[in-house]
Amino acid sequence: MAMTDDAARPTAPLTFPPSFLFGTATASTQVEGGDVDSDWMAFAREPGRIKGGDTPRVACDHWNRFRDDAALQKKLGYGAYRMSIEWARVEPRPGVFDTAVLDHYRAMLGALVDAGITPMVTLHHFSLPTWLTHTSGAASRAGLLADALPELLARYSAVVVRALGDLCRLWVTLNEPNVLVAQGYLMGAWPPAKKSPLDAVRAHHNLLAAHVAMYRALHAEAASVTGTLAVGIAHHLRVIVPDASTRAVDRLGATALRSVFNDAFARAVCDGTLYGPLDAFARARGRRAFDVRNAKGTQDFFGVNYYSRDRVRLSLRDADQMFLPRGVEKGAEVSDLGWEVYPDGLGTVLGEWSQRSGVPMYITENGIADASDTQRKSFLVRHLAEVARAIARGVDVRGYFHWSLMDNFEWDSGYEPRFGLVAIDYATQSRTPRPSAELYGAIARARAIDRATWAAYREPPANAKRSPT
Ligand code: IFM
């Protein structure tokens, strides 16, 4: 009989090193609330953009409740928290920095540090100030396409790290640049809601240049003010396989998607090369293409946001999905959003990119939309087991940040998806830890998945959601 994957796994307990960070993650637009002058707030005001007409206007009111939220994390046993800074708040007008806002972020970080929670701060998590996106001049040069984007993001980053660098050592420049470009410039689902491959390439190059400028600005600031920092990117990486491995076109489609979506940005910062055709395309159109060689080595750690596996096929009827519709195997375990639950993929991604990058790894996001909390415990245990296995194989993984600490504003899907370990009642803003929140805390405190936990959660629950057969 062939040995199953499970039989090949080490038996519990699965342990983690003493310095390993067990944390959770959020992002400013998704949890803070407030009348912020950002592109997402403007986008949400446009009818039909966000499911249910939701807006990030109130979200989880984390801006005002951060002290209680830090206390809750401590109580639950979590030792780290990844949060983001809202650029539009810090720099409400070009070149004008709001010191009261920076003080507020100092208080937020201070509350974490006082509670013994290690912060990781993301400088750019999808949203932009409207002074950059809604310019009166050439709209084609606004937002991520603005020539000044790298310089502006670097200036903002320097101001932030000067103000907050003594409270935080772990910095993320950009969150999921590949997702931002795909949703905003190919799928037309996020601001600026374009469907332009050429602009997608331009935005991609500009974000790469911005990352490099931010990386250098952070280190320059650290040298003079704060001491050592570790700077990385939160890369969104998926397992992408052909729907039917027998169809050559599907295999080609999967390879193409992997190269463009998974590899292009991540590879550029690892070895200073970009997926050939992308670069050639930008150059052929006469755009000043960013010299990708400058990107080599501009990350001190590699952040992985891992969620799922996609089965890809080539279909000429699906122009709206760039001819590469993504699906899930029939009968596979899925989340409330229909994303396949595929824990093995996390181990694969960690192994591959640890080798390619040569720097320490953090899982900067991993989580599931599961309103009933039926699958989250098993999801957590199986993904954490992959992390423990990777560490046992010699992969240098320093921490795991579960997405998310609490339910929040899930971009164009509004408030319906429930990613939180902690449930939010948006009418009262009350916080209620789900059973999975307690289990994660127990694992974090023990720094191990014990035998009983592994036995109970190594398989998906019998009532897990499945894709149609
Ligand atoms: O909510 C998002 C987050 O902002 C970026 N990574 C994926 C999460 C779930 O979709």
Side-chain angles (χ1 to χ4, degrees):
M1 201 176 76
M3 201 159 83
T4 64
D5 277 352
D6 272 349
R9 288 197 172 109
T11 49
L14 294 155
T15 54
F16 297 85
S19 59
F20 189 84
L21 297 178
F22 288 93
T24 61
T26 63
S28 51
T29 304
Q30 296 179 268
V31 296
E32 280 180 357
D35 217 352
V36 179
D37 210 356
S38 73
D39 60 340
W40 267 95
M41 196 66 82
F43 191 67
R45 278 192 218 105
E46 296 174 20
R49 293 297 196 190
I50 313 287
K51 197 163 180 191
D54 291 342
T55 84
R57 172 75 185 76
V58 177
C60 310
D61 194 28
H62 185 57
W63 185 254
N64 297 309
R65 296 168 194 259
F66 67 88
R67 286 194 182 83
D68 291 347
D69 291 338
L72 181 57
Q73 291 170 60
K74 183 177 180 183
K75 188 167 159 222
L76 286 166
Y78 308 159
Y81 183 56
R82 174 174 171 235
M83 55 176 268
S84 79
I85 306 277
E86 189 69 55
W87 185 8
R89 277 194 199 269
V90 171
E91 191 176 358
R93 289 189 301 287
V96 177
F97 294 91
D98 190 327
T99 48
V101 165
L102 287 166
D103 284 347
H104 193 93
Y105 279 120
R106 271 197 79 75
M108 288 172 102
L109 287 169
L112 294 170
V113 172
D114 289 349
I117 296 166
T118 303
M120 174 184 273
V121 171
T122 306
L123 286 156
H124 180 256
H125 192 122
F126 296 158
S127 53
L128 294 167
T130 55
W131 53 256
L132 186 66
T133 56
H134 293 55
T135 56
S136 49
S140 62
R141 292 288 179 272
L144 300 185
L145 303 178
D147 286 335
L149 182 84
E151 185 190 317
L152 292 170
L153 269 171
R155 180 177 69 181
Y156 148 77
S157 302
V159 169
V160 173
V161 84
R162 207 174 302 143
L164 310 175
D166 58 320
L167 294 171
C168 177
R169 207 185 69 77
L170 297 170
W171 293 81
V172 172
T173 55
L174 305 175
N175 181 71
E176 300 181 348
N178 54 348
V179 173
L180 184 59
V181 168
Q183 296 283 27
Y185 292 86
L186 291 175
M187 311 308 285
W190 291 6
K194 287 190 175 185
K195 291 187 177 186
S196 160
L198 178 59
D199 281 343
V201 173
R202 287 174 172 162
H204 187 272
H205 273 120
N206 221 17
L207 277 170
L208 199 47
H211 160 73
V212 174
M214 293 165 87
Y215 179 86
R216 302 215 190 288
L218 287 168
H219 277 298
E221 242 359 278
S224 56
V225 186
T226 54
T228 52
L229 302 179
V231 182
I233 296 169
H235 300 278
H236 184 111
L237 298 173
R238 310 179 71 81
V239 173
I240 300 173
V241 294
D243 187 31
S245 53
T246 46
R247 288 212 323 160
V249 284
D250 290 348
R251 289 204 303 273
L252 194 70
T255 304
L257 193 60
R258 263 199 306 271
S259 305
V260 175
F261 184 80
N262 268 0
D263 285 15
F265 207 96
R267 171 177 165 170
V269 279
C270 290
D271 62 16
T273 63
L274 194 54
Y275 179 58
L278 270 184
D279 221 10
F281 187 46
R283 284 176 206 278
R285 299 298 292 242
R287 279 286 293 161
R288 176 185 53 84
F290 165 69
D291 186 348
V292 68
R293 285 169 300 187
N294 292 334
K296 183 174 177 174
T298 55
Q299 62 189 349
D300 308 320
F301 63 84
F302 191 103
V304 174
N305 292 4
Y306 174 77
Y307 286 88
S308 187
R309 168 167 72 169
D310 298 315
R311 294 189 172 271
V312 174
R313 68 198 159 81
L314 196 80
S315 156
L316 297 180
R317 276 183 307 193
D318 289 285
D320 60 327
Q321 291 176 71
M322 297 289 134
F323 307 105
L324 289 173
R326 296 176 289 138
V328 167
E329 196 175 20
K330 289 190 177 76
E333 183 193 359
V334 293
S335 73
D336 290 350
L337 286 169
W339 301 357
E340 182 181 358
V341 176
Y342 183 60
D344 288 14
L346 179 55
T348 310
V349 163
L350 286 172
E352 176 185 346
W353 287 96
S354 152
Q355 225 169 33
R356 290 175 78 166
S357 69
V359 292
M361 311 289 288
Y362 285 91
I363 295 98
T364 33
E365 287 181 26
N366 172 240
I368 180 171
D370 179 25
S372 60
D373 208 42
T374 308
Q375 290 156 255
R376 190 172 286 102
K377 284 187 274 187
S378 165
F379 179 100
L380 252 168
V381 167
R382 286 180 287 154
H383 283 82
L384 283 170
E386 285 298 324
V387 179
R389 291 179 70 210
I391 294 171
R393 286 198 307 270
V395 181
D396 184 2
V397 191
R398 305 272 173 101
Y400 171 92
F401 293 80
H402 190 79
W403 186 272
S404 176
L405 171 64
M406 53 193 147
D407 294 335
N408 58 56
F409 176 76
E410 177 59 18
W411 309 110
D412 57 322
S413 300
Y415 291 105
E416 194 178 281
R418 299 283 181 155
F419 276 93
L421 290 160
V422 174
I424 299 284
D425 178 337
Y426 292 107
T428 62
Q429 288 295 347
S430 67
R431 275 92 164 123
T432 310
R434 296 190 162 105
S436 54
E438 309 286 355
L439 178 69
Y440 183 40
I443 293 171
R445 284 192 190 96
R447 308 199 151 273
I449 299 170
D450 63 25
R451 281 176 206 284
T453 305
W454 179 242
Y457 299 111
R458 60 182 285 181
E459 301 288 349
N463 56 350
K465 289 167 287 290
R466 299 270 163 191
S467 66
T469 48

